Amino acid sequence: MKFFIDSADLKAIQDVKAMGMCDGVTTNPSLMAKAGRTDTDALLKEICRLVQGPVSGEVTALDADGMVAEGRRLAKLDDHLVVKVPTTLAGLKAIAALAGDGIAVNATLVFSVNQALLVAKAGAAYVSPFVGRLDDVGEDGMQLVSDVLEVYDNYDLETEVIVASVRHPMHVVDAALLGAHIATIPPEVIPKLVAHPLTDKGLAGFMADWAKLQGRGA
Ligand code: E4P
């Protein structure tokens, strides 16, 4: 499973990249606002240069023509730029037009199987079901991922599934068990994936025994 980093924070992305865990990046207007940079095109270019993999930058127009114009402009920033488009009626038109231009599109804010089916038919390269936000309202986010994977498999649809709105390590485990292509993970969740109390305890034991051995040598 590929790991994308769900962030527009260059330093955080750099940290995860240094662990070999950054296959791509997803941003959205909220993450851009959190990063606090108003020169968003320049920031996206810097992220693309750093990551050398797919980097999603989201359109902010709400009408199809506006989304297409913005998407075409964003796509010119870097070869790695993936245009993120919200899953609405206008979004479907924009996805079809951008995909027709050969531009990779990530269909975002997906909360149902039908939405995922439609964006794949429109030509999206990626679909982003938001598991955490579904869990928040008492639905089963991972069931949606499972259903989308099954439907795509039924029809050999090539759109890659990005498990999005990841909140905790079990989301990553479940995404991998389901065979999702990608999980986009907030940088603060990455350390939680490697942490285990028995690893810490075991290491402390090894270090204590090693110190005793050194003491014996002295
Ligand atoms: C996906 O690409 C989105 O940026 C993201 O996963 C949204 O997650 P949130 O629900 O934590 O905002």
Side-chain angles (χ1 to χ4, degrees), residues 98-204:
L98 292 166
D101 287 354
I103 294 172
V105 175
N106 175 0
T108 191
L109 290 166
V110 165
F111 296 97
S112 76
V113 175
N114 278 335
Q115 287 179 319
L117 180 58
L118 265 59
V119 299
K121 285 174 68 64
Y126 303 96
V127 63
S128 291
F130 276 39
V131 295
R133 293 194 195 190
L134 277 170
D135 292 353
D136 287 346
V137 296
E139 292 187 38
D140 186 344
M142 279 301 161
Q143 186 59 51
L144 173 62
V145 173
S146 172
D147 292 346
V148 171
L149 286 167
E150 185 178 336
V151 167
Y152 282 8
D153 190 49
N154 286 345
Y155 298 104
D156 291 327
L157 294 168
E158 287 178 359
T159 305
E160 289 192 65
V161 176
I162 304 178
V163 176
S165 191
V166 162
R167 300 276 165 77
H168 51 69
M170 280 314 293
H171 277 151
V172 180
V173 171
D174 290 340
L177 286 172
L178 287 172
H181 305 90
I182 302 153
T184 188
I185 306 171
E188 59 274 16
V189 172
I190 300 285
K192 296 181 186 170
L193 303 181
V194 74
H196 198 288
L198 290 180
T199 304
D200 296 342
K201 191 178 168 195
L203 186 58

Side-chain angles (χ1 to χ4, degrees), residues 18-163:
M19 298 171 209
M21 295 298 144
C22 180
D23 301 304
V25 161
T26 51
T27 70
N28 63 38
S30 302
L31 292 171
M32 285 291 189
K34 197 171 161 197
R37 292 253 312 252
T38 50
D39 55 341
T40 50
D41 282 5
L43 177 56
L44 283 171
K45 276 178 161 182
E46 286 170 46
I47 296 173
C48 287
R49 215 172 305 133
L50 173 65
V51 169
Q52 295 296 309
V55 172
S56 293
E58 189 159 341
V59 298
T60 52
L62 296 176
D63 64 299
D65 288 347
M67 288 180 191
V68 172
E70 206 179 339
R72 286 180 177 146
R73 186 183 57 72
L74 287 171
K76 286 196 187 113
L77 293 177
D78 192 284
D79 287 348
H80 295 296
L81 205 293
V82 173
V83 177
K84 219 180 192 190
V85 173
T87 304
T88 59
L89 276 180
L92 286 179
K93 289 183 191 163
I95 292 167
L98 292 166
D101 287 354
I103 294 172
V105 175
N106 175 0
T108 191
L109 290 166
V110 165
F111 296 97
S112 76
V113 175
N114 278 335
Q115 287 179 319
L117 180 58
L118 265 59
V119 299
K121 285 174 68 64
Y126 303 96
V127 63
S128 291
F130 276 39
V131 295
R133 293 194 195 190
L134 277 170
D135 292 353
D136 287 346
V137 296
E139 292 187 38
D140 186 344
M142 279 301 161
Q143 186 59 51
L144 173 62
V145 173
S146 172
D147 292 346
V148 171
L149 286 167
E150 185 178 336
V151 167
Y152 282 8
D153 190 49
N154 286 345
Y155 298 104
D156 291 327
L157 294 168
E158 287 178 359
T159 305
E160 289 192 65
V161 176
I162 304 178
V163 176

